mmCIF file of all heavy atoms in Angstrom:
data_model
loop_
_atom_site.group_PDB
_atom_site.id
_atom_site.type_symbol
_atom_site.label_atom_id
_atom_site.label_comp_id
_atom_site.label_asym_id
_atom_site.label_seq_id
_atom_site.Cartn_x
_atom_site.Cartn_y
_atom_site.Cartn_z
ATOM 1 N N ARG A 30 -62.500 113.575 -10.263
ATOM 2 C CA ARG A 30 -63.808 112.946 -10.462
ATOM 3 C C ARG A 30 -63.607 111.528 -10.997
ATOM 4 O O ARG A 30 -62.552 111.207 -11.609
ATOM 5 C CB ARG A 30 -64.633 113.744 -11.542
ATOM 6 C CG ARG A 30 -64.040 113.815 -12.852
ATOM 7 C CD ARG A 30 -64.809 114.827 -13.787
ATOM 8 N NE ARG A 30 -64.279 114.816 -15.209
ATOM 9 C CZ ARG A 30 -64.766 115.722 -16.041
ATOM 10 N NH1 ARG A 30 -65.684 116.562 -15.692
ATOM 11 N NH2 ARG A 30 -64.272 115.804 -17.251
ATOM 12 N N GLN A 31 -64.575 110.719 -10.766
ATOM 13 C CA GLN A 31 -64.526 109.291 -11.163
ATOM 14 C C GLN A 31 -65.843 108.907 -11.609
ATOM 15 O O GLN A 31 -66.879 108.846 -10.849
ATOM 16 C CB GLN A 31 -64.022 108.498 -10.031
ATOM 17 C CG GLN A 31 -63.739 107.018 -10.480
ATOM 18 C CD GLN A 31 -62.959 106.198 -9.329
ATOM 19 O OE1 GLN A 31 -62.956 106.629 -8.233
ATOM 20 N NE2 GLN A 31 -62.277 105.242 -9.830
ATOM 21 N N ALA A 32 -66.023 108.443 -12.833
ATOM 22 C CA ALA A 32 -67.137 107.879 -13.322
ATOM 23 C C ALA A 32 -67.083 106.291 -13.233
ATOM 24 O O ALA A 32 -66.023 105.766 -13.122
ATOM 25 C CB ALA A 32 -67.358 108.227 -14.875
ATOM 26 N N PRO A 33 -68.302 105.683 -13.148
ATOM 27 C CA PRO A 33 -68.328 104.160 -13.137
ATOM 28 C C PRO A 33 -67.443 103.486 -14.142
ATOM 29 O O PRO A 33 -67.542 103.811 -15.297
ATOM 30 C CB PRO A 33 -69.777 103.780 -13.253
ATOM 31 C CG PRO A 33 -70.552 105.056 -12.753
ATOM 32 C CD PRO A 33 -69.638 106.139 -13.193
ATOM 33 N N GLY A 34 -66.573 102.565 -13.719
ATOM 34 C CA GLY A 34 -65.674 101.897 -14.615
ATOM 35 C C GLY A 34 -64.536 102.685 -15.176
ATOM 36 O O GLY A 34 -63.768 102.245 -15.997
ATOM 37 N N LYS A 35 -64.408 103.926 -14.732
ATOM 38 C CA LYS A 35 -63.208 104.768 -15.131
ATOM 39 C C LYS A 35 -62.291 105.061 -14.001
ATOM 40 O O LYS A 35 -62.569 104.903 -12.851
ATOM 41 C CB LYS A 35 -63.795 106.069 -15.597
ATOM 42 C CG LYS A 35 -64.791 105.997 -16.810
ATOM 43 C CD LYS A 35 -64.134 105.512 -18.105
ATOM 44 C CE LYS A 35 -65.144 105.589 -19.263
ATOM 45 N NZ LYS A 35 -64.463 105.178 -20.490
ATOM 46 N N ASP A 36 -61.109 105.393 -14.366
ATOM 47 C CA ASP A 36 -60.098 105.770 -13.404
ATOM 48 C C ASP A 36 -60.462 107.204 -12.828
ATOM 49 O O ASP A 36 -61.111 108.021 -13.542
ATOM 50 C CB ASP A 36 -58.735 105.889 -14.009
ATOM 51 C CG ASP A 36 -58.173 104.500 -14.453
ATOM 52 O OD1 ASP A 36 -58.552 103.542 -13.785
ATOM 53 O OD2 ASP A 36 -57.278 104.539 -15.360
ATOM 54 N N ARG A 37 -60.035 107.448 -11.638
ATOM 55 C CA ARG A 37 -60.127 108.773 -11.101
ATOM 56 C C ARG A 37 -59.280 109.732 -11.891
ATOM 57 O O ARG A 37 -58.102 109.516 -12.078
ATOM 58 C CB ARG A 37 -59.708 108.821 -9.570
ATOM 59 C CG ARG A 37 -60.039 110.049 -8.909
ATOM 60 C CD ARG A 37 -59.914 109.974 -7.456
ATOM 61 N NE ARG A 37 -60.805 108.894 -6.874
ATOM 62 C CZ ARG A 37 -61.022 108.652 -5.585
ATOM 63 N NH1 ARG A 37 -60.346 109.342 -4.720
ATOM 64 N NH2 ARG A 37 -61.854 107.747 -5.206
ATOM 65 N N GLU A 38 -59.898 110.815 -12.280
ATOM 66 C CA GLU A 38 -59.126 111.820 -13.124
ATOM 67 C C GLU A 38 -58.999 113.174 -12.515
ATOM 68 O O GLU A 38 -60.032 113.531 -11.800
ATOM 69 C CB GLU A 38 -59.668 111.836 -14.553
ATOM 70 C CG GLU A 38 -61.077 112.523 -14.614
ATOM 71 C CD GLU A 38 -61.503 112.635 -16.089
ATOM 72 O OE1 GLU A 38 -60.771 112.457 -17.029
ATOM 73 O OE2 GLU A 38 -62.727 113.046 -16.271
ATOM 74 N N PHE A 39 -57.992 113.859 -12.799
ATOM 75 C CA PHE A 39 -57.769 115.223 -12.353
ATOM 76 C C PHE A 39 -58.725 116.139 -13.023
ATOM 77 O O PHE A 39 -58.971 116.034 -14.174
ATOM 78 C CB PHE A 39 -56.365 115.627 -12.625
ATOM 79 C CG PHE A 39 -56.106 117.080 -12.407
ATOM 80 C CD1 PHE A 39 -55.867 117.561 -11.181
ATOM 81 C CD2 PHE A 39 -55.915 117.880 -13.439
ATOM 82 C CE1 PHE A 39 -55.580 118.942 -10.944
ATOM 83 C CE2 PHE A 39 -55.631 119.289 -13.317
ATOM 84 C CZ PHE A 39 -55.536 119.743 -12.040
ATOM 85 N N VAL A 40 -59.247 117.053 -12.257
ATOM 86 C CA VAL A 40 -60.131 118.135 -12.774
ATOM 87 C C VAL A 40 -59.444 119.503 -12.682
ATOM 88 O O VAL A 40 -59.356 120.209 -13.605
ATOM 89 C CB VAL A 40 -61.477 118.121 -12.010
ATOM 90 C CG1 VAL A 40 -62.361 119.338 -12.527
ATOM 91 C CG2 VAL A 40 -62.181 116.785 -12.268
ATOM 92 N N ALA A 41 -59.074 119.847 -11.462
ATOM 93 C CA ALA A 41 -58.572 121.190 -11.208
ATOM 94 C C ALA A 41 -57.727 121.188 -9.864
ATOM 95 O O ALA A 41 -57.998 120.361 -9.038
ATOM 96 C CB ALA A 41 -59.637 122.236 -11.148
ATOM 97 N N ALA A 42 -56.852 122.128 -9.785
ATOM 98 C CA ALA A 42 -56.087 122.337 -8.557
ATOM 99 C C ALA A 42 -55.790 123.798 -8.299
ATOM 100 O O ALA A 42 -55.806 124.565 -9.292
ATOM 101 C CB ALA A 42 -54.802 121.467 -8.588
ATOM 102 N N ILE A 43 -55.478 124.083 -7.043
ATOM 103 C CA ILE A 43 -55.278 125.534 -6.692
ATOM 104 C C ILE A 43 -54.226 125.480 -5.579
ATOM 105 O O ILE A 43 -54.167 124.546 -4.703
ATOM 106 C CB ILE A 43 -56.521 126.232 -6.230
ATOM 107 C CG1 ILE A 43 -56.305 127.721 -6.024
ATOM 108 C CG2 ILE A 43 -57.080 125.620 -4.988
ATOM 109 C CD1 ILE A 43 -57.661 128.455 -5.967
ATOM 110 N N ASN A 44 -53.327 126.433 -5.640
ATOM 111 C CA ASN A 44 -52.227 126.483 -4.635
ATOM 112 C C ASN A 44 -52.735 127.031 -3.348
ATOM 113 O O ASN A 44 -53.899 127.397 -3.204
ATOM 114 C CB ASN A 44 -51.003 127.277 -5.110
ATOM 115 C CG ASN A 44 -51.254 128.751 -5.209
ATOM 116 O OD1 ASN A 44 -52.327 129.141 -5.347
ATOM 117 N ND2 ASN A 44 -50.168 129.513 -5.113
ATOM 118 N N TRP A 45 -51.927 127.098 -2.304
ATOM 119 C CA TRP A 45 -52.377 127.430 -1.006
ATOM 120 C C TRP A 45 -53.098 128.739 -0.817
ATOM 121 O O TRP A 45 -53.981 128.893 -0.048
ATOM 122 C CB TRP A 45 -51.227 127.311 -0.003
ATOM 123 C CG TRP A 45 -50.216 128.410 -0.048
ATOM 124 C CD1 TRP A 45 -49.153 128.582 -0.981
ATOM 125 C CD2 TRP A 45 -50.294 129.624 0.653
ATOM 126 N NE1 TRP A 45 -48.577 129.765 -0.737
ATOM 127 C CE2 TRP A 45 -49.198 130.401 0.282
ATOM 128 C CE3 TRP A 45 -51.045 130.127 1.672
ATOM 129 C CZ2 TRP A 45 -48.835 131.631 0.773
ATOM 130 C CZ3 TRP A 45 -50.822 131.403 2.325
ATOM 131 C CH2 TRP A 45 -49.704 132.167 1.734
ATOM 132 N N ASN A 46 -52.631 129.800 -1.578
ATOM 133 C CA ASN A 46 -53.183 131.049 -1.428
ATOM 134 C C ASN A 46 -54.058 131.436 -2.604
ATOM 135 O O ASN A 46 -54.438 132.588 -2.669
ATOM 136 C CB ASN A 46 -52.067 132.144 -1.167
ATOM 137 C CG ASN A 46 -51.158 132.281 -2.338
ATOM 138 O OD1 ASN A 46 -51.279 131.549 -3.334
ATOM 139 N ND2 ASN A 46 -50.253 133.169 -2.178
ATOM 140 N N GLY A 47 -54.277 130.552 -3.490
ATOM 141 C CA GLY A 47 -55.235 130.790 -4.587
ATOM 142 C C GLY A 47 -54.670 131.608 -5.759
ATOM 143 O O GLY A 47 -55.379 132.005 -6.612
ATOM 144 N N THR A 48 -53.335 131.816 -5.799
ATOM 145 C CA THR A 48 -52.732 132.618 -6.831
ATOM 146 C C THR A 48 -52.351 131.817 -8.129
ATOM 147 O O THR A 48 -52.102 132.358 -9.111
ATOM 148 C CB THR A 48 -51.445 133.267 -6.331
ATOM 149 O OG1 THR A 48 -50.464 132.290 -5.869
ATOM 150 C CG2 THR A 48 -51.673 134.248 -5.221
ATOM 151 N N SER A 49 -52.423 130.468 -8.056
ATOM 152 C CA SER A 49 -52.133 129.579 -9.157
ATOM 153 C C SER A 49 -53.215 128.551 -9.265
ATOM 154 O O SER A 49 -53.609 127.896 -8.299
ATOM 155 C CB SER A 49 -50.800 128.960 -9.029
ATOM 156 O OG SER A 49 -49.754 129.919 -8.980
ATOM 157 N N THR A 50 -53.741 128.382 -10.444
ATOM 158 C CA THR A 50 -54.725 127.321 -10.798
ATOM 159 C C THR A 50 -54.378 126.505 -11.855
ATOM 160 O O THR A 50 -53.601 126.915 -12.810
ATOM 161 C CB THR A 50 -56.128 127.966 -10.979
ATOM 162 O OG1 THR A 50 -56.061 128.884 -12.024
ATOM 163 C CG2 THR A 50 -56.597 128.798 -9.748
ATOM 164 N N TYR A 51 -54.883 125.321 -11.980
ATOM 165 C CA TYR A 51 -54.537 124.326 -13.000
ATOM 166 C C TYR A 51 -55.871 123.592 -13.301
ATOM 167 O O TYR A 51 -56.681 123.240 -12.404
ATOM 168 C CB TYR A 51 -53.463 123.331 -12.462
ATOM 169 C CG TYR A 51 -52.276 123.961 -11.792
ATOM 170 C CD1 TYR A 51 -52.388 124.399 -10.439
ATOM 171 C CD2 TYR A 51 -51.232 124.302 -12.564
ATOM 172 C CE1 TYR A 51 -51.316 125.063 -9.835
ATOM 173 C CE2 TYR A 51 -50.100 125.015 -11.904
ATOM 174 C CZ TYR A 51 -50.212 125.304 -10.658
ATOM 175 O OH TYR A 51 -49.134 125.920 -10.061
ATOM 176 N N TYR A 52 -55.971 123.258 -14.635
ATOM 177 C CA TYR A 52 -57.259 122.680 -15.133
ATOM 178 C C TYR A 52 -56.945 121.510 -16.079
ATOM 179 O O TYR A 52 -55.991 121.686 -16.899
ATOM 180 C CB TYR A 52 -58.153 123.653 -15.726
ATOM 181 C CG TYR A 52 -58.684 124.769 -14.778
ATOM 182 C CD1 TYR A 52 -58.039 125.980 -14.667
ATOM 183 C CD2 TYR A 52 -59.783 124.510 -13.996
ATOM 184 C CE1 TYR A 52 -58.522 126.973 -13.817
ATOM 185 C CE2 TYR A 52 -60.271 125.488 -13.183
ATOM 186 C CZ TYR A 52 -59.651 126.689 -13.143
ATOM 187 O OH TYR A 52 -60.120 127.624 -12.219
ATOM 188 N N GLN A 53 -57.796 120.576 -16.035
ATOM 189 C CA GLN A 53 -57.761 119.510 -17.093
ATOM 190 C C GLN A 53 -58.292 120.252 -18.361
ATOM 191 O O GLN A 53 -59.239 121.114 -18.333
ATOM 192 C CB GLN A 53 -58.703 118.417 -16.748
ATOM 193 C CG GLN A 53 -58.831 117.345 -17.756
ATOM 194 C CD GLN A 53 -60.012 116.439 -17.625
ATOM 195 O OE1 GLN A 53 -60.917 116.560 -18.449
ATOM 196 N NE2 GLN A 53 -60.046 115.667 -16.642
ATOM 197 N N ASP A 54 -57.831 119.925 -19.559
ATOM 198 C CA ASP A 54 -58.169 120.581 -20.717
ATOM 199 C C ASP A 54 -59.619 120.655 -20.954
ATOM 200 O O ASP A 54 -60.148 121.634 -21.497
ATOM 201 C CB ASP A 54 -57.410 119.989 -21.975
ATOM 202 C CG ASP A 54 -55.961 120.289 -21.978
ATOM 203 O OD1 ASP A 54 -55.468 121.243 -21.266
ATOM 204 O OD2 ASP A 54 -55.160 119.634 -22.616
ATOM 205 N N SER A 55 -60.273 119.528 -20.721
ATOM 206 C CA SER A 55 -61.732 119.431 -21.047
ATOM 207 C C SER A 55 -62.575 120.393 -20.225
ATOM 208 O O SER A 55 -63.738 120.530 -20.572
ATOM 209 C CB SER A 55 -62.235 117.976 -20.907
ATOM 210 O OG SER A 55 -62.264 117.587 -19.511
ATOM 211 N N VAL A 56 -62.097 120.873 -19.122
ATOM 212 C CA VAL A 56 -62.896 121.776 -18.235
ATOM 213 C C VAL A 56 -62.444 123.207 -18.287
ATOM 214 O O VAL A 56 -63.131 124.108 -17.760
ATOM 215 C CB VAL A 56 -62.972 121.317 -16.834
ATOM 216 C CG1 VAL A 56 -63.422 119.818 -16.763
ATOM 217 C CG2 VAL A 56 -61.664 121.457 -16.069
ATOM 218 N N LYS A 57 -61.365 123.486 -19.104
ATOM 219 C CA LYS A 57 -60.828 124.872 -19.153
ATOM 220 C C LYS A 57 -61.919 125.791 -19.792
ATOM 221 O O LYS A 57 -62.512 125.396 -20.736
ATOM 222 C CB LYS A 57 -59.571 124.896 -19.908
ATOM 223 C CG LYS A 57 -58.375 124.375 -19.206
ATOM 224 C CD LYS A 57 -57.148 124.467 -20.157
ATOM 225 C CE LYS A 57 -55.893 123.893 -19.383
ATOM 226 N NZ LYS A 57 -54.662 123.840 -20.235
#
């Protein structure tokens, strides 16, 4: 996600088959 005037930041990710997920602390 990217807010005006801010850098693009990571939110979440998932591997190819959905068995592993990753989250930014603020959205966990």
Side-chain angles (χ1 to χ4, degrees):
R30 65 188 182 186
Q31 188 166 24
K35 302 289 186 179
D36 292 334
R37 188 169 298 187
E38 69 174 351
F39 170 76
V40 177
I43 189 167
N44 72 336
W45 72 274
N46 64 358
T48 59
S49 298
T50 58
Y51 311 86
Y52 295 95
Q53 183 200 108
D54 286 345
S55 69
V56 308
K57 287 180 180 177

